[in-house]
Amino acid sequence: MILRLGERSAFIPGEVFYYRFRGKIYGALSLFRQGDYRLIAISEEIQAAPQHITVEAVLDAPLYTLGWFSDADMLSENRIHRIGVVTIRGDYTNSAGLIIGSDGSIVLKNSGQFATWRHDFRAFALPGATVRDALDMRHIPNTTP
């Protein structure tokens, strides 16, 4: 078996996009980068044709999960469809399941992985939340060791 990693996107904080998997469309919001990890909010399935998916549609979609993704677990560039960028005001350092200590130690309790993009795995949930709620730090817990 040959595993080909496509070119990985920069996923700038605030970038809103959608992707397809198994014939379904999901929205996502890149929230923050800490060390070699990116915090991404992923929506539940969006029931709209691709040409009708807007930033607002993604932000108002129910939240599936937040996950900290390493470069190896990010979607390849050809899988994402950028929609727009929103302003990120929060500082997600050491929150939502990741702590990087001043000594370089890492505690990762909320690892995003390819199964997370597929909606087969999540280590974190905010029941009743929307993707927009991830922009409000009051909804995001700090990580404890």
Side-chain angles (χ1 to χ4, degrees):
M1 176 166 86
I2 298 173
L3 178 63
R4 233 181 96 205
L5 295 177
E7 180 182 336
R8 301 297 181 203
S9 170
F11 288 93
I12 62 168
E15 188 169 50
V16 180
F17 58 97
Y18 72 88
Y19 66 97
R20 293 181 186 149
F21 200 87
R22 295 182 186 149
K24 296 180 181 179
I25 298 175
Y26 303 103
L29 167 62
S30 177
L31 289 165
F32 194 72
R33 182 175 181 130
Q34 183 177 352
D36 292 333
Y37 298 92
R38 291 173 183 87
L39 182 60
I40 307 287
I42 300 175
S43 78
E44 294 286 0
E45 181 181 1
I46 296 178
Q47 299 285 332
Q51 63 270 24
H52 298 294
I53 298 176
T54 63
V55 168
E56 291 300 314
V58 171
L59 294 179
D60 292 337
L63 180 69
Y64 171 66
T65 193
L66 297 176
W68 288 98
F69 292 83
S70 70
D71 287 343
D73 294 307
M74 297 299 289
L75 288 176
S76 62
E77 184 68 29
N78 63 349
R79 303 251 357 218
I80 68 167
H81 304 273
R82 289 178 174 79
I83 305 168
V85 178
V86 297
T87 301
I88 303 293
R89 291 189 175 89
D91 180 351
Y92 297 83
T93 302
N94 293 336
S95 65
L98 174 69
I99 295 176
I100 299 179
S102 58
D103 62 353
S105 62
I106 297 173
V107 174
L108 181 55
K109 298 178 180 182
N110 182 17
S111 175
Q113 48 194 265
F114 196 68
T116 307
W117 296 112
R118 290 189 319 242
H119 281 232
D120 289 338
F121 170 82
R122 67 178 170 187
F124 183 86
L126 292 172
T130 64
V131 172
R132 184 183 309 277
D133 291 333
L135 291 168
D136 186 341
M137 289 302 297
R138 291 178 295 175
H139 298 284
I140 312 299
N142 288 329
T143 304
T144 55

